[in-house]
Amino acid sequence: LVADTDGDTLLDGDEVNIHKTIPVIKDSDGDGLDDNEEINVYKTNPVKADTDNDRLVDGAEVKTYKTNPLVADTDNDKLNDGDEVETFKTNPLVVDTDGDGLTDGDEVNLYTTNPLKVETDKGSVNDNIEVARGTDPNDPNDDVIKVSVPLILGGINFKTASADITPEQEVSLQKVLKT
């Protein structure tokens, strides 16, 4: 009589009576972690392939994605790890995959912006700045202020597609920019 038929270092009697695992199969739930690893190392459920119900099997969380198989949202950004990996292609270990200052979860669930792009609407203003100033990060038309007359600031006449600034005007411009 072999005390550990499947070689996972758990005694057959313990597998049947305590852990409810299958003593002739090293990985009872087929998630890529053997029963001993699940019980003694990762504290995951050895008879449930996805302990935290995030749609990633425990073995993939531990070995491939390095996420926590006991927590559905490892980075706490309000998107579960499975959605980040399979649906949105965001990083389940990083709260803000694109680094724009908005969490992946807020981009998906609140602002409907792209969590992989700093500037979703391609209008020239980053998503977080648009959110902060109350413009729509999905509408490129509100990214810049359009004026139909020349803008004069500190004696400098700004015209569309023009950058002619005299040395005297540059001093004025620097003063204005510092305020």
Side-chain angles (χ1 to χ4, degrees):
L1 183 63
V2 178
D4 179 17
T5 305
D6 59 13
D8 62 5
T9 71
L10 297 173
L11 298 175
D12 290 351
D14 289 348
E15 288 207 59
V16 171
N17 298 316
I18 298 171
H19 307 298
K20 309 301 183 210
T21 54
I22 305 167
V24 294
I25 299 175
K26 199 172 203 169
D27 179 5
S28 294
D29 59 9
D31 65 358
L33 298 175
D34 71 43
D35 296 340
N36 181 47
E37 289 177 297
E38 295 215 54
I39 293 165
N40 294 311
V41 178
Y42 301 109
K43 311 300 184 205
T44 52
N45 186 334
V47 294
K48 185 176 180 188
D50 180 10
T51 299
D52 60 9
N53 295 315
D54 63 0
R55 298 181 316 134
L56 296 177
V57 296
D58 297 340
E61 289 212 57
V62 169
K63 296 176 181 178
T64 304
Y65 303 111
K66 310 299 185 212
T67 53
N68 184 340
L70 299 172
V71 179
D73 181 8
T74 298
D75 62 7
N76 199 30
D77 65 356
K78 299 181 186 138
L79 291 178
N80 79 41
D81 297 339
D83 286 342
E84 292 214 55
V85 169
E86 296 173 358
T87 304
F88 303 110
K89 309 300 183 210
T90 53
N91 186 334
L93 300 172
V94 178
V95 173
D96 178 13
T97 298
D98 61 12
D100 66 359
L102 302 174
T103 68
D104 294 341
D106 282 350
E107 291 214 54
V108 168
N109 299 315
L110 187 59
Y111 305 116
T112 63
T113 52
N114 187 333
L116 300 173
K117 293 184 178 182
V118 172
E119 213 286 274
T120 297
D121 65 16
K122 299 179 185 171
S124 76
V125 178
N126 291 355
D127 294 344
N128 65 324
I129 294 169
E130 289 210 58
V131 166
R133 73 179 192 186
T135 57
D136 183 353
N138 292 297
D139 179 5
N141 295 314
D142 66 1
D143 285 10
V144 293
I145 299 170
K146 293 183 170 92
V147 293
S148 57
V149 295
L151 177 64
I152 300 173
L153 179 64
I156 302 168
N157 187 353
F158 291 91
K159 297 177 186 172
T160 304
S162 175
D164 296 328
I165 299 173
T166 66
E168 298 81 26
Q169 291 172 330
E170 184 176 353
V171 172
S172 296
L173 181 58
Q174 290 300 328
K175 287 180 185 175
V176 170
L177 292 174
K178 288 181 183 176
T179 60

